[in-house]
């Protein structure tokens, strides 16, 4: 498996009860909508990404930190699909801190559906200062409340994926739209997963495999004027993709089967 294993969900019942009461663990329900489902009735990866964004914002609101830490940059997201389930499903979502640093943390989110969906995710989130355009220190209140029971040890950034596409990579049609921009005029995180869905459409045998791991690492921001190229390369059960602008890589993406996949 490329990359590290995801941090475990807190399982001790007394600890879970306390973390839920403190808001360190946040739970929510999220109904799968029509535009989150593919034509072959699969929960799309960009649909999962929208769920993660919504639940992350709701978590900050729940603990009263949405104004304290309003701006975040996502460096990496891991989505592990362990069971595809029947769609449309209604999802129970649970979010907590896996590891923490002084300016960033990993948000673990587990998704369980009424009709069989089982997904585990992790995002590497950086608290960002929009005035200095640099990472900003997390407040003590946030670290104590959300990260108090995180896995011990200092969290450091380490790339998992190679941002340089091989010369044998193939181009996949992809076009950015005005509606893909967020309020900062950067491409919304879910759009990168939509690009990966375009690549998966050319490798349909992978799309319904489970368990399956998908990873996106953000190397540089995308804007509408960039007109990026989407490139893909497959090596056995590992599918890699890149969004590039000239010689610059904006995002590196990967889909791979995990042990237990048929």
């Amino acid at each position: 498996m490329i990359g590290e294993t995801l941090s475990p969900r807190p399982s001790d019942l007394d600890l879970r009860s306390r973390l839920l009461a403190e808001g360190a663990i946040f739970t929510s329900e999220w109904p799968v909508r029509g535009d989150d489902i593919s034509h072959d009735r699969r929960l799309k990866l960009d649909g999962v990404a929208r769920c993660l964004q919504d639940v992350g914002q709701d978590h900050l609101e729940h603990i009263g930190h949405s104004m304290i830490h309003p701006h975040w940059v996502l460096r990496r997201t891991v989505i592990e699909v362990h069971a595809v389930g029947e769609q449309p499903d209604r999802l129970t979502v649970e979010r907590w801190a896996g590891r923490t640093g002084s300016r960033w943390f990993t948000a673990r989110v587990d998704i369980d559906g009424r009709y069989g969906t089982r997904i585990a995710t992790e995002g590497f989130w950086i608290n960002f200062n929009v005035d200095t355009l640099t990472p900003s220190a997390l407040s003590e209140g946030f670290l104590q409340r959300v990260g108090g029971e995180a896995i011990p040890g200092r969290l450091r950034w380490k790339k998992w994926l190679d941002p340089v596409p091989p010369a044998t990579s193939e181009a996949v049609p992809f076009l950015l739209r005005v509606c893909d921009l967020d309020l900062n005029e950067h491409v919304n995180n879910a759009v990168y997963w939509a690009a990966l869905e375009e690549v998966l459409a050319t490798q349909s045998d992978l799309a319904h495999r489970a368990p399956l791991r998908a990873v996106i690492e953000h190397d540089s921001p995308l804007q509408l004027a960039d007109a990026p190229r989407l490139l893909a390369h497959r090596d056995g059960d590992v599918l890699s993709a890149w969004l590039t602008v000239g010689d610059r890589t904006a995002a590196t993406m990967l889909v791979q089967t995990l042990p237990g996949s048929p």
Side-chain angles (χ1 to χ4, degrees), residues 230-245:
L230 178 58
L231 303 174
H233 176 79
R234 182 164 178 179
D235 182 7
D237 285 338
V238 177
L239 174 64
S240 301
W242 299 263
L243 277 170
T244 65
V245 181

Side-chain angles (χ1 to χ4, degrees), residues 30 32 43 83-93 110-119:
W30 199 82
V32 177
L43 175 56
V84 295
E86 297 181 15
Q87 303 303 329
D89 206 343
R90 188 170 187 89
L91 310 176
T92 297
V93 186
D110 276 359
I111 300 171
D112 298 290
R114 292 182 184 178
Y115 307 119
T117 302
R118 285 196 307 111
I119 297 172

